[in-house]
Amino acid sequence: MSTPETISANAVPGIARGHRLQFEPAQACHVLLYPEGMITLNDSAAEILQRCDGQRSVQAICDDLSAAFDGADVTTDVHEFLALAASHGWIVFDRV
């Protein structure tokens, strides 16, 4: 599936095949592992990617994060990160 230029609120992101999100105790942070290496994630990126389960829509991810962070408006940040993650092949979208 291709990366959408504009991510729809109905799009359903999931971690791309060959990638695995996990907490790395030695580094005390989440990382994204893939065959060529590893990406160390900041807390915000980890919070978003943990919700990219192939079941929740982008809107549901935004709503969940907003609720988890006292109603903060996270929509722009989530969309920007998902676009970046998709451009690097870290996530794929089920629906657009």
Side-chain angles (χ1 to χ4, degrees), residues 1 9-10 15-16 20 24 28 31 37 39 49-50 52 57-59 62-63 66 68 74-75 78 86 93:
M1 311 220 171
N10 296 322
I15 304 295
R20 185 175 73 227
E24 185 60 49
V31 297
I39 302 295
L49 283 180
Q50 287 178 73
C52 293
S57 69
V58 171
Q59 185 62 55
C62 291
D63 292 345
S66 179
V74 299
T75 302
V78 169
F93 292 94

PDB file of all heavy atoms in Angstrom, residues 1 9-10 15-16 20 24 28 31 37 39 49-50 52 57-59 62-63 66 68 74-75 78 86 93:
ATOM      1  N   MET A   1       0.836  -1.177   0.000  1.00  0.00           N
ATOM      2  CA  MET A   1       0.000   0.000   0.000  1.00  0.00           C
ATOM      3  C   MET A   1       0.882   1.242   0.000  1.00  0.00           C
ATOM      4  O   MET A   1       1.935   1.259   0.601  1.00  0.00           O
ATOM      5  CB  MET A   1      -0.884   0.009   1.226  1.00  0.00           C
ATOM      6  CG  MET A   1      -1.587  -1.281   1.458  1.00  0.00           C
ATOM      7  SD  MET A   1      -3.245  -1.100   2.008  1.00  0.00           S
ATOM      8  CE  MET A   1      -3.683  -2.804   1.879  1.00  0.00           C
ATOM      9  N   ALA A   9      -8.529  10.637   8.399  1.00  0.00           N
ATOM     10  CA  ALA A   9      -8.854  10.300   9.787  1.00  0.00           C
ATOM     11  C   ALA A   9      -9.337   8.859   9.892  1.00  0.00           C
ATOM     12  O   ALA A   9      -9.259   8.246  10.960  1.00  0.00           O
ATOM     13  CB  ALA A   9      -9.918  11.257  10.317  1.00  0.00           C
ATOM     14  N   ASN A  10      -9.821   8.294   8.774  1.00  0.00           N
ATOM     15  CA  ASN A  10     -10.310   6.912   8.762  1.00  0.00           C
ATOM     16  C   ASN A  10      -9.226   5.889   8.455  1.00  0.00           C
ATOM     17  O   ASN A  10      -9.474   4.687   8.516  1.00  0.00           O
ATOM     18  CB  ASN A  10     -11.437   6.763   7.746  1.00  0.00           C
ATOM     19  CG  ASN A  10     -12.638   7.584   8.124  1.00  0.00           C
ATOM     20  OD1 ASN A  10     -12.978   7.702   9.300  1.00  0.00           O
ATOM     21  ND2 ASN A  10     -13.283   8.181   7.146  1.00  0.00           N
ATOM     22  N   ILE A  15       2.070  -1.260  12.275  1.00  0.00           N
ATOM     23  CA  ILE A  15       3.522  -1.388  12.146  1.00  0.00           C
ATOM     24  C   ILE A  15       3.814  -2.230  10.905  1.00  0.00           C
ATOM     25  O   ILE A  15       3.191  -3.264  10.679  1.00  0.00           O
ATOM     26  CB  ILE A  15       4.128  -2.056  13.401  1.00  0.00           C
ATOM     27  CG1 ILE A  15       3.763  -1.283  14.677  1.00  0.00           C
ATOM     28  CG2 ILE A  15       5.637  -2.220  13.257  1.00  0.00           C
ATOM     29  CD1 ILE A  15       4.332   0.100  14.769  1.00  0.00           C
ATOM     30  N   ALA A  16       4.747  -1.787  10.103  1.00  0.00           N
ATOM     31  CA  ALA A  16       5.083  -2.469   8.851  1.00  0.00           C
ATOM     32  C   ALA A  16       5.700  -3.839   9.124  1.00  0.00           C
ATOM     33  O   ALA A  16       6.369  -4.045  10.138  1.00  0.00           O
ATOM     34  CB  ALA A  16       6.047  -1.617   8.038  1.00  0.00           C
ATOM     35  N   ARG A  20       9.437  -4.225  14.488  1.00  0.00           N
ATOM     36  CA  ARG A  20       8.876  -4.608  15.791  1.00  0.00           C
ATOM     37  C   ARG A  20       9.126  -3.487  16.792  1.00  0.00           C
ATOM     38  O   ARG A  20      10.257  -3.017  16.950  1.00  0.00           O
ATOM     39  CB  ARG A  20       9.512  -5.903  16.294  1.00  0.00           C
ATOM     40  CG  ARG A  20       8.881  -6.393  17.582  1.00  0.00           C
ATOM     41  CD  ARG A  20       9.412  -7.736  18.029  1.00  0.00           C
ATOM     42  NE  ARG A  20      10.768  -7.580  18.538  1.00  0.00           N
ATOM     43  CZ  ARG A  20      11.785  -8.354  18.208  1.00  0.00           C
ATOM     44  NH1 ARG A  20      11.630  -9.336  17.347  1.00  0.00           N
ATOM     45  NH2 ARG A  20      12.972  -8.150  18.722  1.00  0.00           N
ATOM     46  N   GLU A  24      13.146  -1.233  25.300  1.00  0.00           N
ATOM     47  CA  GLU A  24      14.523  -1.687  25.443  1.00  0.00           C
ATOM     48  C   GLU A  24      15.035  -1.270  26.822  1.00  0.00           C
ATOM     49  O   GLU A  24      15.367  -0.102  27.042  1.00  0.00           O
ATOM     50  CB  GLU A  24      15.395  -1.075  24.340  1.00  0.00           C
ATOM     51  CG  GLU A  24      16.809  -1.568  24.304  1.00  0.00           C
ATOM     52  CD  GLU A  24      16.913  -3.063  24.084  1.00  0.00           C
ATOM     53  OE1 GLU A  24      16.260  -3.584  23.157  1.00  0.00           O
ATOM     54  OE2 GLU A  24      17.653  -3.704  24.841  1.00  0.00           O
ATOM     55  N   ALA A  28      16.302   2.190  28.341  1.00  0.00           N
ATOM     56  CA  ALA A  28      15.171   2.769  29.067  1.00  0.00           C
ATOM     57  C   ALA A  28      14.249   3.564  28.139  1.00  0.00           C
ATOM     58  O   ALA A  28      13.795   4.658  28.478  1.00  0.00           O
ATOM     59  CB  ALA A  28      15.650   3.630  30.231  1.00  0.00           C
ATOM     60  N   VAL A  31      11.977   1.228  21.264  1.00  0.00           N
ATOM     61  CA  VAL A  31      12.725   1.222  20.016  1.00  0.00           C
ATOM     62  C   VAL A  31      11.886   0.537  18.948  1.00  0.00           C
ATOM     63  O   VAL A  31      10.989  -0.251  19.260  1.00  0.00           O
ATOM     64  CB  VAL A  31      14.094   0.511  20.148  1.00  0.00           C
ATOM     65  CG1 VAL A  31      14.987   1.237  21.130  1.00  0.00           C
ATOM     66  CG2 VAL A  31      13.930  -0.946  20.524  1.00  0.00           C
ATOM     67  N   GLY A  37      18.458  -2.372  11.263  1.00  0.00           N
ATOM     68  CA  GLY A  37      18.885  -1.634  12.436  1.00  0.00           C
ATOM     69  C   GLY A  37      17.788  -1.387  13.441  1.00  0.00           C
ATOM     70  O   GLY A  37      16.852  -2.168  13.597  1.00  0.00           O
ATOM     71  N   ILE A  39      15.619   2.049  15.529  1.00  0.00           N
ATOM     72  CA  ILE A  39      15.309   3.460  15.735  1.00  0.00           C
ATOM     73  C   ILE A  39      14.983   3.645  17.209  1.00  0.00           C
ATOM     74  O   ILE A  39      14.121   2.939  17.755  1.00  0.00           O
ATOM     75  CB  ILE A  39      14.078   3.895  14.908  1.00  0.00           C
ATOM     76  CG1 ILE A  39      14.286   3.650  13.425  1.00  0.00           C
ATOM     77  CG2 ILE A  39      13.714   5.347  15.195  1.00  0.00           C
ATOM     78  CD1 ILE A  39      15.375   4.464  12.802  1.00  0.00           C
ATOM     79  N   LEU A  49       3.093   5.136  18.158  1.00  0.00           N
ATOM     80  CA  LEU A  49       3.305   3.828  17.529  1.00  0.00           C
ATOM     81  C   LEU A  49       2.671   2.683  18.310  1.00  0.00           C
ATOM     82  O   LEU A  49       2.233   1.702  17.712  1.00  0.00           O
ATOM     83  CB  LEU A  49       4.798   3.564  17.329  1.00  0.00           C
ATOM     84  CG  LEU A  49       5.451   4.296  16.173  1.00  0.00           C
ATOM     85  CD1 LEU A  49       6.933   3.952  16.086  1.00  0.00           C
ATOM     86  CD2 LEU A  49       4.765   3.976  14.857  1.00  0.00           C
ATOM     87  N   GLN A  50       2.598   2.803  19.626  1.00  0.00           N
ATOM     88  CA  GLN A  50       1.949   1.760  20.419  1.00  0.00           C
ATOM     89  C   GLN A  50       0.476   1.615  20.050  1.00  0.00           C
ATOM     90  O   GLN A  50      -0.116   0.561  20.241  1.00  0.00           O
ATOM     91  CB  GLN A  50       2.067   2.065  21.916  1.00  0.00           C
ATOM     92  CG  GLN A  50       3.466   1.849  22.445  1.00  0.00           C
ATOM     93  CD  GLN A  50       3.556   2.216  23.902  1.00  0.00           C
ATOM     94  OE1 GLN A  50       3.051   1.482  24.744  1.00  0.00           O
ATOM     95  NE2 GLN A  50       4.173   3.352  24.199  1.00  0.00           N
ATOM     96  N   CYS A  52      -0.652   2.122  16.930  1.00  0.00           N
ATOM     97  CA  CYS A  52      -0.734   1.721  15.521  1.00  0.00           C
ATOM     98  C   CYS A  52      -0.806   0.201  15.456  1.00  0.00           C
ATOM     99  O   CYS A  52       0.174  -0.484  15.134  1.00  0.00           O
ATOM    100  CB  CYS A  52       0.474   2.244  14.745  1.00  0.00           C
ATOM    101  SG  CYS A  52       0.513   4.035  14.588  1.00  0.00           S
ATOM    102  N   SER A  57      -8.312   3.576  13.934  1.00  0.00           N
ATOM    103  CA  SER A  57      -8.148   4.612  12.912  1.00  0.00           C
ATOM    104  C   SER A  57      -7.262   5.735  13.456  1.00  0.00           C
ATOM    105  O   SER A  57      -7.036   5.841  14.675  1.00  0.00           O
ATOM    106  CB  SER A  57      -9.507   5.189  12.531  1.00  0.00           C
ATOM    107  OG  SER A  57     -10.041   5.937  13.622  1.00  0.00           O
ATOM    108  N   VAL A  58      -6.798   6.569  12.552  1.00  0.00           N
ATOM    109  CA  VAL A  58      -6.013   7.730  12.957  1.00  0.00           C
ATOM    110  C   VAL A  58      -6.828   8.583  13.925  1.00  0.00           C
ATOM    111  O   VAL A  58      -6.318   9.049  14.944  1.00  0.00           O
ATOM    112  CB  VAL A  58      -5.564   8.544  11.722  1.00  0.00           C
ATOM    113  CG1 VAL A  58      -4.938   9.866  12.137  1.00  0.00           C
ATOM    114  CG2 VAL A  58      -4.605   7.727  10.873  1.00  0.00           C
ATOM    115  N   GLN A  59      -8.117   8.746  13.643  1.00  0.00           N
ATOM    116  CA  GLN A  59      -8.963   9.545  14.539  1.00  0.00           C
ATOM    117  C   GLN A  59      -9.046   8.914  15.920  1.00  0.00           C
ATOM    118  O   GLN A  59      -8.970   9.606  16.937  1.00  0.00           O
ATOM    119  CB  GLN A  59     -10.373   9.710  13.954  1.00  0.00           C
ATOM    120  CG  GLN A  59     -11.259  10.626  14.783  1.00  0.00           C
ATOM    121  CD  GLN A  59     -10.699  12.036  14.853  1.00  0.00           C
ATOM    122  OE1 GLN A  59     -10.456  12.650  13.819  1.00  0.00           O
ATOM    123  NE2 GLN A  59     -10.475  12.561  16.049  1.00  0.00           N
ATOM    124  N   CYS A  62      -5.844   9.630  17.754  1.00  0.00           N
ATOM    125  CA  CYS A  62      -5.839  11.015  18.229  1.00  0.00           C
ATOM    126  C   CYS A  62      -6.733  11.180  19.456  1.00  0.00           C
ATOM    127  O   CYS A  62      -6.339  11.813  20.446  1.00  0.00           O
ATOM    128  CB  CYS A  62      -6.289  11.967  17.126  1.00  0.00           C
ATOM    129  SG  CYS A  62      -5.123  12.124  15.765  1.00  0.00           S
ATOM    130  N   ASP A  63      -7.926  10.596  19.402  1.00  0.00           N
ATOM    131  CA  ASP A  63      -8.866  10.694  20.527  1.00  0.00           C
ATOM    132  C   ASP A  63      -8.291  10.046  21.776  1.00  0.00           C
ATOM    133  O   ASP A  63      -8.393  10.593  22.879  1.00  0.00           O
ATOM    134  CB  ASP A  63     -10.204  10.048  20.174  1.00  0.00           C
ATOM    135  CG  ASP A  63     -10.968  10.801  19.100  1.00  0.00           C
ATOM    136  OD1 ASP A  63     -10.622  11.975  18.806  1.00  0.00           O
ATOM    137  OD2 ASP A  63     -11.911  10.211  18.528  1.00  0.00           O
ATOM    138  N   SER A  66      -5.409  12.170  23.131  1.00  0.00           N
ATOM    139  CA  SER A  66      -5.944  13.390  23.725  1.00  0.00           C
ATOM    140  C   SER A  66      -6.503  13.099  25.119  1.00  0.00           C
ATOM    141  O   SER A  66      -6.240  13.834  26.070  1.00  0.00           O
ATOM    142  CB  SER A  66      -7.028  13.987  22.830  1.00  0.00           C
ATOM    143  OG  SER A  66      -7.553  15.157  23.414  1.00  0.00           O
ATOM    144  N   ALA A  68      -5.652  10.630  27.069  1.00  0.00           N
ATOM    145  CA  ALA A  68      -4.550  10.234  27.953  1.00  0.00           C
ATOM    146  C   ALA A  68      -3.738  11.436  28.433  1.00  0.00           C
ATOM    147  O   ALA A  68      -3.092  11.367  29.477  1.00  0.00           O
ATOM    148  CB  ALA A  68      -3.639   9.246  27.231  1.00  0.00           C
ATOM    149  N   VAL A  74      -3.760  16.937  19.962  1.00  0.00           N
ATOM    150  CA  VAL A  74      -2.605  16.210  19.435  1.00  0.00           C
ATOM    151  C   VAL A  74      -2.726  15.909  17.943  1.00  0.00           C
ATOM    152  O   VAL A  74      -1.822  15.315  17.365  1.00  0.00           O
ATOM    153  CB  VAL A  74      -2.403  14.886  20.205  1.00  0.00           C
ATOM    154  CG1 VAL A  74      -2.131  15.151  21.683  1.00  0.00           C
ATOM    155  CG2 VAL A  74      -3.601  13.965  20.040  1.00  0.00           C
ATOM    156  N   THR A  75      -3.810  16.296  17.330  1.00  0.00           N
ATOM    157  CA  THR A  75      -4.106  15.894  15.954  1.00  0.00           C
ATOM    158  C   THR A  75      -2.984  16.238  14.977  1.00  0.00           C
ATOM    159  O   THR A  75      -2.536  15.379  14.212  1.00  0.00           O
ATOM    160  CB  THR A  75      -5.439  16.505  15.486  1.00  0.00           C
ATOM    161  OG1 THR A  75      -6.463  16.078  16.388  1.00  0.00           O
ATOM    162  CG2 THR A  75      -5.786  16.062  14.077  1.00  0.00           C
ATOM    163  N   VAL A  78       0.143  14.097  15.661  1.00  0.00           N
ATOM    164  CA  VAL A  78      -0.055  12.699  15.273  1.00  0.00           C
ATOM    165  C   VAL A  78       0.022  12.565  13.754  1.00  0.00           C
ATOM    166  O   VAL A  78       0.717  11.686  13.239  1.00  0.00           O
ATOM    167  CB  VAL A  78      -1.388  12.146  15.818  1.00  0.00           C
ATOM    168  CG1 VAL A  78      -1.719  10.790  15.197  1.00  0.00           C
ATOM    169  CG2 VAL A  78      -1.342  12.048  17.341  1.00  0.00           C
ATOM    170  N   ALA A  86       5.366   6.792   7.902  1.00  0.00           N
ATOM    171  CA  ALA A  86       5.000   6.136   6.640  1.00  0.00           C
ATOM    172  C   ALA A  86       6.064   6.382   5.578  1.00  0.00           C
ATOM    173  O   ALA A  86       6.409   5.472   4.815  1.00  0.00           O
ATOM    174  CB  ALA A  86       3.634   6.626   6.164  1.00  0.00           C
ATOM    175  N   PHE A  93      -0.738   1.695   5.950  1.00  0.00           N
ATOM    176  CA  PHE A  93      -2.147   1.999   6.191  1.00  0.00           C
ATOM    177  C   PHE A  93      -3.036   0.947   5.551  1.00  0.00           C
ATOM    178  O   PHE A  93      -2.845   0.594   4.389  1.00  0.00           O
ATOM    179  CB  PHE A  93      -2.497   3.387   5.626  1.00  0.00           C
ATOM    180  CG  PHE A  93      -1.845   4.499   6.374  1.00  0.00           C
ATOM    181  CD1 PHE A  93      -0.630   5.029   5.966  1.00  0.00           C
ATOM    182  CD2 PHE A  93      -2.435   5.014   7.518  1.00  0.00           C
ATOM    183  CE1 PHE A  93      -0.016   6.058   6.657  1.00  0.00           C
ATOM    184  CE2 PHE A  93      -1.835   6.039   8.230  1.00  0.00           C
ATOM    185  CZ  PHE A  93      -0.632   6.558   7.798  1.00  0.00           C
TER     186      PHE A  93
END
